[in-house]
Amino acid sequence: MTNQHPAPATPLRARMIADMSARNLGPASQTSHLRACKRFASWLGRSPETASPDDVKHFQLHLIESGTSICTRNQTMTGLKFLFRVTLRRHDLAAEVFHLKKPVKVPLVLSRNEVKRVLAMAPGLKARVMLSLAYGCGLRASEVVRLKVGDIDGEQKIIRIVQAKGRKDRNVMLPGDILGLLREWWTQRPASQDTGVPGPERVLFPGYRGKHLSARQISRLFKEAARAAGITKPVTLHTLRHSFATHLLERGVDIRVIQALLGHAKLTTTARYASVATGMIAAVESPLDGLTAAKRRKGRKRAS
C-alpha cells in the first residue's frame, strides 16, 4: 500500500518516510512518527540530526512538565526512537528514550439496558445500523466505516474485517438483527458514488467524493444518541466495544473466543474485561459467606 505524504520539505524527512514505507508501517503510524519529529525539531530549534543525548533527556522532561499525557508522550518518543535508531542510526540518542508506564484503568461499560436505550435513540437508520455493528459485533469505529458490501457474508453469517488494527484480518459474527438492518439500510443508502465501482467494493456507509464516512462522524452520532438516552457517564463510541466484550464474558463465552472476535494479539488485553463483568463478580461467593454458613451449621448442632 502506498502512503500519501506532502512533498518532503527536507532530505531527512524524505529518508524517514522511505524507511517507514520500507518497513510497511501503516499511514497512521507514519503520520504519528512524522508529527513527533516535527514537535522535537520545533522544540530543539534546529535539525534533529544535530541533537545530543542531553537534548533528548531535556525534551522528555519538557513533555512531562508541559502536562503532556502519558499516552501522547510515549507515542511521541516512539516516533523519535524510530528516527534515531533507523533513519539517523544514532544509537546513543535512541538509548536515552524511555517510556512511562501508563496507569491501568478499568474499561467503562454500559449495562444492557443502557445500550438498548442508546440504540433506540440513534438519530436515523444509518446511525442505528452503525452503532448496532459497533456493539453487536465489537467493531472499532474505523472498522465500521470501512465496511464494504463484499465483507458481509449473509450465507455464513459472518463479517470479514479486512486489514484492521495491526494489519490483521479477522471474522466476527453477523447477528440476524443486524443483517435485517443492513438490508433495510441498503434500500435507503445513497448510490450516487456507485458508478463504475464493482458491487463487492462499494462502501456501506459512503461519505464524500467516493470515500467512506470518517470515524469522527460515527463518534459524533454516538454522542448524540447517548445524550438523548440520558447517559451521563463519560462514554465514547469505544465504550460499545468494551460493553460487547464484557457482556459476552458475563454470558460465559470462552475468553479466547472473545479475544479472537476483538482481534487482540494478547490474551491479557482481553482478560481485563473480567474486572468489569459485574454479573461474574456478583456471582462469586465471598469467603465471608462461608464463615457465616459454618457458624449457622454449628448453631444448629448445639440446638439439637
Side-chain angles (χ1 to χ4, degrees), residues 21-267:
S21 298
R23 285 157 181 78
N24 208 24
L25 267 65
S29 295
Q30 293 199 26
T31 300
S32 175
H33 286 4
L34 291 172
R35 186 185 300 118
C37 296
K38 182 178 180 181
R39 182 172 186 176
F40 178 61
S42 177
W43 173 85
L44 190 62
R46 59 185 193 275
S47 172
E49 292 181 279
T50 65
S52 68
D54 281 343
D55 289 329
V56 179
K57 291 179 183 178
H58 294 151
F59 178 65
Q60 292 177 99
L61 183 61
H62 160 73
L63 291 177
I64 296 171
E65 291 179 342
S66 62
T68 304
S69 69
I70 291 177
C71 181
T72 300
R73 184 256 176 225
N74 287 347
Q75 191 176 53
T76 299
M77 296 316 298
T78 296
L80 283 180
K81 190 168 186 177
F82 183 94
L83 171 69
F84 298 150
R85 183 175 58 83
V86 179
T87 303
L88 294 178
R89 298 180 184 272
R90 289 285 304 276
H91 297 288
D92 59 324
L93 300 183
E96 298 299 331
V97 174
F98 63 90
H99 286 75
L100 299 177
K101 188 173 183 179
K102 293 187 290 187
V104 178
K105 296 183 179 180
V106 175
L108 180 67
V109 301
L110 296 171
S111 68
R112 291 178 179 81
N113 183 56
E114 287 173 325
V115 173
K116 186 176 180 179
R117 282 159 43 200
V118 169
L119 296 180
M121 298 307 297
L125 176 61
K126 178 175 68 175
R128 186 158 66 253
V129 177
M130 291 193 293
L131 298 184
S132 295
L133 283 163
Y135 171 70
C137 307
L139 304 187
R140 301 178 178 93
S142 60
E143 295 169 351
V144 173
V145 297
R146 291 176 186 273
L147 284 175
K148 298 179 179 179
V149 174
D151 298 330
I152 309 300
D153 189 336
E155 187 67 28
Q156 295 191 72
K157 298 294 190 294
I158 62 170
I159 299 176
R160 299 183 184 91
I161 310 301
V162 180
Q163 293 296 283
K165 185 176 180 181
R167 292 178 177 265
K168 294 181 294 186
D169 294 350
R170 73 180 191 279
N171 292 328
V172 299
M173 74 284 267
L174 173 57
D177 288 349
I178 290 181
L179 180 58
L181 283 172
L182 285 170
R183 286 171 173 164
E184 184 180 353
W185 165 243
W186 189 252
T187 64
Q188 299 184 22
R189 170 187 168 277
S192 58
Q193 300 178 13
D194 292 346
T195 305
V197 180
E201 292 299 312
R202 294 175 182 174
V203 294
L204 284 175
F205 306 105
Y208 297 103
R209 298 178 182 176
K211 297 182 179 180
H212 55 70
L213 289 178
S214 69
R216 182 175 297 180
Q217 286 171 298
I218 182 178
S219 295
R220 178 180 57 79
L221 292 171
F222 168 77
K223 286 285 189 179
E224 185 178 339
R227 282 195 300 270
I231 305 298
T232 58
K233 300 175 183 177
V235 292
T236 66
L237 180 71
H238 211 69
T239 303
L240 291 180
R241 180 171 156 91
H242 292 323
S243 302
F244 163 84
T246 304
H247 296 165
L248 285 183
L249 196 59
E250 289 179 335
R251 286 170 49 189
V253 177
D254 188 281
I255 195 168
R256 292 192 178 277
V257 174
I258 300 175
Q259 178 190 6
L261 290 172
L262 293 175
H264 287 162
K266 298 179 180 178
L267 185 61

